[in-house]
Amino acid sequence: MRCAVLGDPITHSLSPALHRAGYAAAGLTGWSYDAVRVPAGGVRGFVEALDATWRGLSVTAPLKREVLVLATEVTERARLAGAANTLVIGPEGRLADNTDLPGAVAAVRERYAGPVTSATVLGAGATAASTGLALVELGARSVTLLARSPERAAETAAVIAAHPSAPRVRVGSLALDPVVGEVVVSTVPAQAQTEDLVARCGAAAVVFEALYAPWPTPLSRSAADRALVGGLDLLVHQAALQFTMFTGLPAPLEQMRAAGEQALAERSAR
């Protein structure tokens, strides 16, 4: 059976290392997992050309919203997020799901057992939407989105506000506004993490850095005395859910995590 991760760019992806390690640990010798560059607008052509040997796709930027329309069934969490990072392919059709949302919940709870009543998300793209929803699932009654262009954050704000628990969502300026709540999630590039922004994140009990490369980021370096959730944590937990959806088997989480850590270490040594 064949699986792959799609996106553009895609050469940086750790997903092949994680999934291949999972296949090896589970003894799935007939399974393969590759990284395929598919630019915006190209996912329909790619998916519709697949044959019966394909079982699943991981989907990353800029395709997470585009892939939804290709599914014959969409899970409630993918519908809620307005984006899918997973497409399960079978004879009965294509199932679109979003494992970023439960993966983010699991990643936070692995590092932090305290309350989440409010939180701030830096950025306003698809990852901001799914992690914002995860914060609501963890108990946040209010979520603040800080964006470089606040006027572009309306769609993400609407996605989070549509959660059945009806959280309050406020949009502010990444350059100016305060960071509030127990958790701060960064979905912005490392170069956008200015000294001032990092300082404004100093009161959060949990720093959730959605990036895994480059590592460490300015924000992650500031979290030495606080709970730190990294992009690899998120990647491993969402990939483990995908692994089970694709194969029907429990995910070998620790072997997948170890493969991700090794791949990152090899990159940093180059």
Side-chain angles (χ1 to χ4, degrees):
M1 302 300 294
R2 302 175 67 187
C3 299
V5 57
L6 313 182
D8 185 20
I10 201 61
T11 55
H12 70 286
S13 178
L14 289 180
S15 291
L18 270 60
H19 284 264
R20 290 169 184 170
Y23 299 159
L28 296 175
T29 56
W31 286 68
S32 66
Y33 190 104
D34 297 301
V36 182
R37 177 181 173 270
V38 177
V43 70
R44 177 181 291 277
F46 181 88
V47 169
E48 292 183 348
L50 300 180
D51 61 26
T53 64
W54 286 83
R55 180 57 180 164
L57 299 173
S58 307
V59 183
T60 188
L63 307 173
K64 289 185 177 183
R65 288 176 173 144
E66 184 179 330
V67 76
L68 276 178
V69 299
L70 303 178
T72 53
E73 182 181 354
V74 179
T75 65
E76 182 56 33
R77 59 194 179 198
R79 196 181 310 279
L80 187 63
N85 75 330
T86 307
L87 194 67
V88 183
I89 303 166
E92 67 285 356
R94 306 182 192 119
L95 172 69
D97 199 358
N98 189 314
T99 65
D100 283 336
L101 201 166
V105 170
V108 171
R109 281 304 178 215
E110 186 176 40
R111 309 291 183 190
Y112 173 73
V116 179
T117 60
S118 63
T120 297
V121 180
L122 311 180
T127 301
S130 59
T131 52
L133 287 168
L135 294 167
V136 177
E137 292 282 314
L138 286 163
R141 299 294 301 142
S142 65
V143 176
T144 299
L145 294 174
L146 299 185
R148 284 174 285 187
S149 301
E151 64 276 5
R152 296 183 181 177
E155 183 177 1
T156 296
V159 166
I160 299 171
H163 188 278
S165 66
R168 298 182 302 276
V169 181
R170 186 182 72 85
V171 177
S173 167
L174 185 68
L176 299 172
D177 287 347
V179 171
V180 297
E182 295 92 351
V183 184
V184 58
V185 179
S186 176
T187 69
V188 300
Q191 58 267 31
Q193 298 175 12
T194 64
E195 184 176 341
D196 172 68
L197 177 60
V198 170
R200 281 184 278 134
C201 297
V206 183
V207 170
F208 187 161
E209 171 56 84
L211 294 176
Y212 58 80
W215 190 269
T217 63
L219 184 58
S220 67
R221 282 197 297 269
S222 76
D225 59 345
R226 294 177 284 166
L228 174 62
V229 181
L232 182 59
D233 297 319
L234 172 59
L235 186 67
V236 167
H237 281 286
Q238 66 83 24
L241 293 166
Q242 289 180 335
F243 178 94
T244 298
M245 294 175 70
F246 296 163
T247 68
L249 299 174
L253 187 70
E254 292 312 313
Q255 289 92 330
M256 294 172 75
R257 189 197 307 272
E261 291 172 345
Q262 180 179 344
L264 285 176
E266 290 173 353
R267 289 183 186 182
S268 64
R270 291 174 189 166

